[in-house]
Amino acid sequence: MSDVKTMMRYKAWADEVFLARIAQLSEEQLVAPQPILFGNMLRTLHHSYAMDRVWQAHLLGEAHGYTTRNPDNPPSFDVLHQMQLAMDAWYVTYADALNTETLGRIVEFEFIGGGDGAMSRGDILLHVVNHTTYHRGHVADMLYHCAVFPPTTDLPVFLRENRAHGV
């Protein structure tokens, strides 16, 4: 399996494990003010999903409809949870369909904040994984303040568990 395919599977696994832990929180905990740009856990998770959608749109050559990286009015956690799992499944399927040539193809896009950008499909996919990992870290820190311990979502754990299951 290529590194990009592995990384997309890793992201899907890490999001699933992490969001399952978040699902144990109350609505009050999810929206409690936090000293972070996005304001709370739910909005941070929504930002991660929204940016996954933005990059998906760039890969598909379609409009994403976002005008900010910090969208207002996130859906409920239950809805966002399902949306994120579906998005992750899309990325796994998308990566599976790519070959070396298509991974290297350049995608041109416009950044939400303005300005033109261009990245290979492979670099976009790796950015999506890295971006989500970064924000899972933000939310993990907030969990500690709620006396909730985040699950271990490290790549070596994913690789060990998947080898054990023959994947």
Side-chain angles (χ1 to χ4, degrees):
M1 185 180 326
S2 77
D3 291 342
V4 170
K5 291 176 185 180
T6 298
M7 294 307 292
M8 296 321 297
R9 282 175 171 70
Y10 161 68
K11 178 189 181 315
W13 169 84
D15 283 349
E16 185 173 1
V17 169
F18 194 76
L19 293 173
R21 183 68 48 90
I22 299 293
Q24 299 172 3
L25 300 175
S26 69
E27 180 73 18
E28 292 78 26
Q29 290 171 306
L30 288 167
V31 299
Q34 298 285 341
I36 187 170
L37 173 67
F38 305 107
N40 61 47
M41 281 189 246
L42 184 62
R43 288 191 64 172
T44 303
L45 294 168
H46 186 229
H47 162 77
S48 288
Y49 168 81
M51 295 309 98
D52 281 359
R53 174 62 191 116
V54 166
W55 290 107
Q56 177 193 47
H58 293 329
L59 290 166
L60 295 172
E62 62 187 32
H64 51 72
Y66 287 98
T67 58
T68 179
R69 292 182 306 271
N70 190 6
D72 290 328
N73 305 316
S76 71
F77 174 77
D78 291 339
V79 170
L80 182 59
H81 187 172
Q82 294 310 308
M83 289 167 53
Q84 187 63 65
L85 295 181
M87 180 65 70
D88 289 342
W90 180 88
Y91 272 108
V92 168
T93 300
Y94 181 82
D96 283 351
L98 298 176
N99 59 36
T100 303
E101 179 188 337
T102 54
L103 271 172
R105 286 192 187 146
I106 300 299
V107 174
E108 294 181 0
F109 55 89
E110 185 177 330
F111 287 102
I112 289 175
D116 295 332
M119 293 169 63
S120 73
R121 291 179 188 283
D123 287 342
I124 288 172
L125 294 175
L126 291 176
H127 170 68
V128 166
V129 173
N130 189 52
H131 177 261
T132 302
T133 299
Y134 178 74
H135 288 300
R136 268 196 313 270
H138 283 147
V139 177
D141 181 59
M142 290 183 254
L143 285 176
Y144 285 115
H145 297 284
C146 296
V148 174
F149 291 92
T152 301
T153 58
D154 293 340
L155 179 63
V157 175
F158 165 76
L159 294 171
R160 179 191 68 208
E161 288 187 11
N162 281 280
R163 279 192 205 106
H165 294 98
V167 177

